[in-house]
Each structure stands twice: as structure tokens, then as C-alpha cells.
Amino acid sequence: MSIALTRAKADAESRQQDERRIAERKRNLVVLCARYFQDLGYISVVQQIQSDTNVSLDKVDAADNIDLTTILTEYEDFYEMRFGRKPKITRKVANDGDKKEVQR
């Protein structure tokens, strides 16, 4: 195999691995959110999430030692330790009558 072909193959495998990692991260977030809503009693929301994403809590569930509240709490503690202030997680939205999309 030529060097260029070997390099192209390695780049393609690296891209595929990155795509798999991103897809798994998204699935993990869906599972954590669905578990959180189920723990709060929002069963219809969980059913809608499961039907929209094809991720069922019957097949995949959050690990016993992790939940969304724990993740948020640990993030807030880390942020405060690192920057000396609490992170701003939410913000108020201007209410101008018509909904304007916020530029990011």
C-alpha cells in the first residue's frame, strides 16, 4: 500500500471513530434526560422522547451511580472552584411579543 492510501485509510477510520463517539455522547444525553424526566414523573415526555429517538429505557438506562442532577452539581462545583463563581446555567429571555431567535 502506498503512503497516501494508508494515510487516507487512517484518516477515514479516525473520522468514523469520532462520529461514533459523538453519536454515543448524544445517545447518552438522551438516556440521561429520559431517566431524569421519568424520575420526576413525566411519563408522557419519556414516551415521546423514546418514540422520537428510538432509544428505550427498557434497553439502555443510566448507570446506577450517575444522574443528571449529579452531573450538574459536580459541574457547578468544578466551575466555582476553577473560576471562583457559580456558572450561569440559564438566562432570561426578552419578551418582545414576537419570539426572536437568539444569535450564538
Side-chain angles (χ1 to χ4, degrees):
M1 243 191 259
S2 70
I3 294 174
L5 184 59
T6 304
R7 183 164 181 81
K9 184 177 178 182
D11 288 345
E13 288 175 359
S14 176
R15 257 191 320 278
Q16 287 176 343
Q17 189 176 22
D18 288 344
E19 289 171 2
R20 276 189 244 116
R21 193 174 20 243
I22 290 168
E24 185 175 346
R25 183 174 292 149
K26 287 179 182 180
R27 182 184 58 102
N28 289 341
L29 284 170
V30 168
V31 169
L32 284 170
C33 290
R35 168 54 56 196
Y36 180 74
F37 286 130
Q38 185 166 343
D39 290 347
L40 291 177
Y42 296 113
I43 304 304
S44 63
V45 172
V46 174
Q47 291 170 346
Q48 187 66 44
I49 289 172
Q50 290 177 357
S51 68
D52 288 349
T53 61
N54 289 330
V55 174
S56 174
L57 290 179
D58 295 333
K59 296 177 185 173
V60 179
D61 201 355
D64 293 336
N65 63 342
I66 197 74
D67 62 13
L68 209 51
T69 305
T70 302
I71 293 170
L72 181 60
T73 302
E74 289 182 6
Y75 173 75
E76 288 174 335
D77 292 344
F78 166 77
Y79 192 95
E80 186 173 14
M81 178 188 69
R82 175 104 190 243
F83 299 109
R85 60 186 170 92
K86 289 274 188 187
K88 191 168 187 177
I89 304 293
T90 60
R91 62 183 170 85
K92 292 186 180 188
V93 178
N95 211 1
D96 294 340
D98 56 50
K99 301 273 182 178
K100 294 181 181 177
E101 191 169 318
V102 177
Q103 301 270 337
R104 290 187 184 226

